[in-house]
Amino acid sequence: MGVQSLVVACGAVALCLALTTATNPGFVVRITQAGLDYAHQHGITILEKELAQLKLPDMSGDSRVGRVGKVRYELSRLRLRDFHLPYSRITPISNVGLQVSISNAFAELDGDWRVKFLFVRDHGSFDLKVENVYIKISLRLGSDAAGKPTVSTSECSARISKVRVLFSGRLGWLYNLFHGAIESRFRKILEDKICDIVDKSVQNELQTYVQTLPVTARIDAKTGIDYSLVAAPRATAQSLDAGLKGEFYSLAHRSTVPFSPLPLALPSDHDCMVYFGASSYFFNTAGIAYHEAGALVFEITEDMIPKDSRFSLDTSLFSVFIPQLEEMYPNMPVKFRLSTPTAPFLTIGPGGISLNPIVEAQAYAILPNSSLAPLFLLSLTGNVSAVINVRSDHIVGSLDVGRIRLSLKDSAVGTFEVRTMQSLMNILTSSSLLPRLNARLDEGFPLPLLDRIQLSNILVRFYQNFLLLGADVHFQPRG
Ligand SMILES: *[C@@H]1O[C@H](CO)[C@@H](O)[C@H](O)[C@H]1NC(C)=O
Ligand SMILES: *[C@@H]1O[C@H](CO)[C@@H](O)[C@H](O)[C@H]1NC(C)=O
């Protein structure tokens, strides 16, 4: 849709409101249960390490023990040996966020004990086994002012149902008389500490990590992609969906896109860990950005013509069809300047991507003093199809052009039959224009991926108005 048709559309008030209030994403990222499970595995490994760093304070107190009377005890050098989280799962909760449930976790601690009663002093060491630890964590997802994702703990509860202390040493029996009191103190302290550590890990590790989403990615000297979130990521019963702006822009000057993304409903596939929905909006803003950045202008001169094409690009080439040309500019080199009068616009349907761009080809004679004399202007149209793939975490593509149709738009050298230019234009597009465009498309455009993520098992499918990419992810640990 061009500016003009938008104005027409806005004649109908309802549609105009729909266009101005819509915040449809141009690009959707879906993380399925398989993807959440994969992320969860890594998260749990980190949490295990963090919990193993848990520091416990020294403890002291008095306890009454039968005939012995008041016993003063001190527990010190408390050291957590390990913390195991063998059973856990992550579940998306519709419109709420993510829930992580950890069950049957266990830990082991050791430390030193010291007692004082009557005239007796003694010390030894002890082991503490913590079992049946249940942790429930709710994660809330959001987006910040820059459109980066945020994650925080909205709820954490830890429950320990079994703590056993084993004292060794000459007076170990004594402790074993009041272990109940010590165990419940340990339980209380540990339950609080676990949620402190969960909170800190979510903030320091998870939040820091999700913020590595490159919401504005500069992709080359001329353009960038805006991947900022248009809303907080949304949990459904099966997945976590993030709507991103998905808009290319020219670095030199970013203009408002004259159309809005259409709603994008991903199919309910769930075999891949992650799905990307790239709407036609995403690709069409690329067309606008490159057009505005002046990147869709190509000059074709003699030196770019393949050596085996048995002609040279000069005025004598046209003398048969345009006799006046040879008289006006005898034996002068010719140059073509190919450009797009408007940004190319593509459509995506179940059959793939297609576009019918208009390309203008202005021919010039290059005069002996190097100035250019305009000869004629041709308009080229043709069906272009695109093949899309993913390589090295970039969307890559290549274009193929069907039959090119020509029309004469303007001429400074009189009229002539345009079909006489057909084979020349076929050669110029297939041997010069397309290879240059395809070389750029082959470098590709970055996908919105968090740090150290690599994609594999790529799937590419076309739907009405969007391209669906499916992939599994692999997290590359640091180092
Ligand atoms: C180049 O030559 C053409 C024709 O001889 C003339 O009209 C034009 O002004 C010249 N341009 C310059 C920059 O000298
Ligand atoms: C271009 O594609 C359209 C629709 O797919 C078709 O009707 C038309 O004939 C094609 N034109 C050429 C020149 O191939």
Side-chain angles (χ1 to χ4, degrees), residues 329 367-372:
Y329 306 107
L367 304 186
N369 63 7
S370 301
S371 61
L372 298 175

Side-chain angles (χ1 to χ4, degrees), residues 136-442:
K136 205 170 101 183
I137 307 160
S138 300
L139 298 174
R140 185 176 33 223
L141 298 139
S143 85
D144 66 12
K148 285 194 182 243
T150 60
V151 57
S152 58
T153 320
S154 56
E155 219 183 292
C156 175
S157 62
R159 194 165 49 81
I160 299 169
S161 58
K162 206 162 161 195
V163 174
R164 284 186 303 139
V165 203
L166 270 169
F167 293 95
S168 57
R170 200 160 57 86
L171 288 173
W173 59 270
L174 182 65
Y175 269 99
N176 292 328
L177 289 179
F178 62 87
H179 65 90
I182 292 175
E183 285 165 0
S184 62
R185 276 189 76 177
F186 265 118
R187 179 179 308 165
K188 182 81 193 64
I189 291 173
L190 275 170
E191 285 175 349
D192 289 346
K193 288 263 178 194
I194 287 171
C195 279
D196 283 353
I197 295 224
V198 165
D199 260 350
K200 250 194 255 154
S201 298
V202 167
Q203 207 176 344
N204 297 344
E205 307 284 335
L206 192 54
Q207 161 78 359
T208 306
Y209 183 62
V210 299
Q211 291 260 313
T212 63
L213 182 77
V215 295
T216 49
R218 185 195 161 104
I219 46 183
D220 52 36
K222 290 177 168 144
T223 58
I225 306 181
D226 184 342
Y227 276 133
S228 57
L229 290 162
V230 296
R234 199 175 65 88
T236 70
Q238 289 86 31
S239 64
L240 185 67
D241 290 359
L244 315 183
K245 197 155 186 131
E247 184 181 301
F248 283 72
Y249 57 93
S250 158
L251 295 177
H253 66 105
R254 184 170 183 170
S255 58
T256 313
V257 179
F259 45 84
S260 302
L262 293 165
L264 199 160
L266 298 192
S268 56
D269 302 24
H270 53 262
D271 294 337
C272 295
M273 291 184 187
V274 59
Y275 289 96
F276 300 101
S279 67
S280 44
Y281 177 86
F282 174 76
F283 295 101
N284 282 324
T285 58
I288 294 178
Y290 281 99
H291 174 74
E292 283 184 352
L296 300 180
V297 176
F298 300 90
E299 302 219 316
I300 300 179
T301 47
E302 168 67 27
D303 53 316
M304 294 170 196
I305 304 295
K307 294 286 165 277
D308 59 1
S309 55
R310 282 173 293 152
F311 67 84
S312 46
L313 201 53
D314 60 35
T315 48
S316 66
L317 181 64
F318 306 100
S319 56
V320 185
F321 329 117
I322 320 171
Q324 4 9 335
L325 186 58
E326 182 77 285
E327 286 163 30
M328 293 164 78
Y329 306 107
N331 284 316
M332 289 182 195
V334 166
K335 159 165 128 173
F336 278 94
R337 186 171 185 273
L338 271 49
S339 61
T340 45
T342 55
F345 193 86
L346 60 72
T347 52
I348 305 179
I353 291 188
S354 64
L355 59 159
N356 299 278
I358 298 169
V359 174
E360 288 183 346
Q362 172 69 55
Y364 298 97
I366 305 173
L367 304 186
N369 63 7
S370 301
S371 61
L372 298 175
L375 303 179
F376 53 85
L377 176 66
L378 293 173
S379 177
L380 283 59
T381 56
N383 287 354
V384 177
S385 58
V387 177
I388 302 281
N389 208 341
V390 172
R391 203 181 55 235
S392 307
D393 309 330
H394 281 58
I395 300 184
V396 298
S398 72
L399 300 179
D400 198 13
V401 186
R403 218 180 94 80
I404 298 167
R405 278 162 299 165
L406 304 179
S407 59
L408 184 62
K409 301 274 284 185
D410 192 20
S411 174
V413 290
T415 56
F416 55 91
E417 285 285 338
V418 283
R419 66 186 161 74
T420 56
M421 295 287 164
Q422 187 73 51
S423 57
L424 175 64
M425 286 301 140
N426 285 347
I427 292 171
L428 294 188
T429 45
S430 65
S431 67
S432 191
L433 179 63
L434 270 187
R436 280 156 81 186
L437 272 175
N438 284 338
R440 173 60 192 94
L441 292 174
D442 194 55

